[in-house]
Amino acid sequence: MGQNKLTVGLVYGGKSGEHEVSLSTAFAVMNAFDYEKYEILPFYITKQGTWKVGAVMSAPFSEQEELKLSQGEGTEAALNAVFSRLYGSEQPKVDIMFPLLHGTFGEDGTIQGLFEMADIPYVGTGVLASAAGMDKVVMKKLFEIAGLPQCDYDYFNRTQWNRSQHDVLQSIEDKLGYPCFVKPANLGSSVGISKAKDREQLTSAIETALKFDNKIIVEQFVDAREVEVSVLGNDEPMASVPGEIVSSSEYYDYAAKYTDGQSQMQIPASIDPDTADRLRELAIQAFKAIEGSGITRADFFIRRSDGAIMINEVNTMPGFTPFSMYPLLWRETGVSYRELLERMIELGLERYNSKQSLVYENQF
């Protein structure tokens, strides 16, 4: 470990469909770090799930392709580095792990559980909140208990569908009507999501979603504006200004240059101050409802007909390049990308340290 420098284990890649996105994120994060304060140990997880570990870095890679660590050591060396604290070595190789994995095996609590087992601090949300944030049905149940307003939904699993399709369809039609959205309950990205306007489309949407998950959620269609709020903190979280996703090419501001023409970001969202305050308040409630820590992005609908606010979902590992909504909302709130990275590391260490004083066996 460098002199008084913190060694950060950057973990990226992974087995999910968002492997490439994760590489872009890792490249951006690596280039934003202050190498006076930190050195990086890169960990690459291939699409097959094997690990590679590189050498300690005191400067970023110049090419994104280098992140694949062609000269790196394999899974055994990588996991030995993760678990080094348990060997009682004087100087652990890594002070804190920084997972930049989106989707399955990354933001679903599995890698967070690995870090807990290795007794190593890590950045971002813990096991429970990650798992709850990944499962849309569990998430909505927690929101319900917390009294957060949300749109109507229905859910079922593969067995129920195979056993009684008619009952499942009937239930959806009675509760939600058309149009409605059909989604796999546990997928991070928007794979497998369809909009259904009648029973025929609903049946085929369900068949599609079942390719990706054994549990399906169906949500009421809401004609609404989509607004997002970034949350940062542990026990005393703070919320950013809200930003809006605008699905048209009419906008020219801030966002226009970072988009592919389909959706653009308007930061801050053009909403009245009371609505903005209410959104920030609800974002913090949602963060607490899933037992959040570190970071989370809360996504809301503002219904066009009456301005009602409804929570759509939370994302515990939101997009994190400098052009993603999460950091841009903080930039507009007065926290730069580099400051954000430092704050996330501080929060990870703070959470780890607060757990160190706990007793795990009955000593009385």
Side-chain angles (χ1 to χ4, degrees), residues 15 17 48 72-73 75 93 100 107-108 111 146 161 206 220 227 232 244 248 252 256 278 281 290 299 309 339 348:
K15 282 166 73 172
Q48 289 70 43
E73 292 187 77
T75 300
K93 268 192 183 161
L100 293 167
E107 55 181 308
D108 59 359
I111 195 133
W161 177 248
I206 289 169
Q220 186 183 38
V227 181
L232 178 70
E244 182 166 7
S248 80
Y252 52 83
R278 181 78 186 122
E281 211 173 280
I290 63 158
D299 301 352
I309 296 172
E339 283 174 277

Side-chain angles (χ1 to χ4, degrees), residues 172-233:
I172 293 165
E173 288 171 343
D174 291 349
K175 273 189 189 172
L176 313 174
Y178 296 105
C180 57
F181 281 102
V182 179
K183 305 176 179 181
N186 276 290
L187 232 64
S189 60
S190 41
V191 182
I193 296 181
S194 327
K195 186 177 179 180
K197 294 179 181 163
D198 54 40
R199 182 171 275 212
E200 193 184 335
Q201 286 185 2
L202 178 59
T203 306
S204 105
I206 289 169
E207 295 290 359
T208 300
L210 281 166
K211 289 179 188 163
F212 299 98
D213 199 2
N214 290 319
K215 183 162 66 170
I216 305 301
I217 184 165
V218 186
E219 297 171 1
Q220 186 183 38
F221 168 73
V222 185
D223 180 22
R225 296 168 65 182
E226 290 180 49
V227 181
E228 303 183 345
V229 177
S230 295
V231 180
L232 178 70

Side-chain angles (χ1 to χ4, degrees), residues 70-83:
S70 55
Q71 306 299 310
E73 292 187 77
T75 300
E76 188 179 349
L79 289 177
N80 278 345
V82 175
F83 280 82

Side-chain angles (χ1 to χ4, degrees), residues 280-322:
R280 294 171 79 165
E281 211 173 280
L282 289 170
I284 287 174
Q285 276 181 37
F287 180 85
K288 290 179 172 173
I290 63 158
E291 301 278 334
S293 55
I295 69 170
T296 286
R297 193 190 71 226
D299 301 352
F300 295 93
F301 293 132
I302 300 180
R303 196 160 52 197
R304 292 186 197 276
S305 60
D306 60 358
I309 296 172
M310 289 179 268
I311 187 151
N312 175 27
E313 60 183 15
V314 289
N315 192 317
T316 59
M317 186 57 235
F320 209 82
T321 72

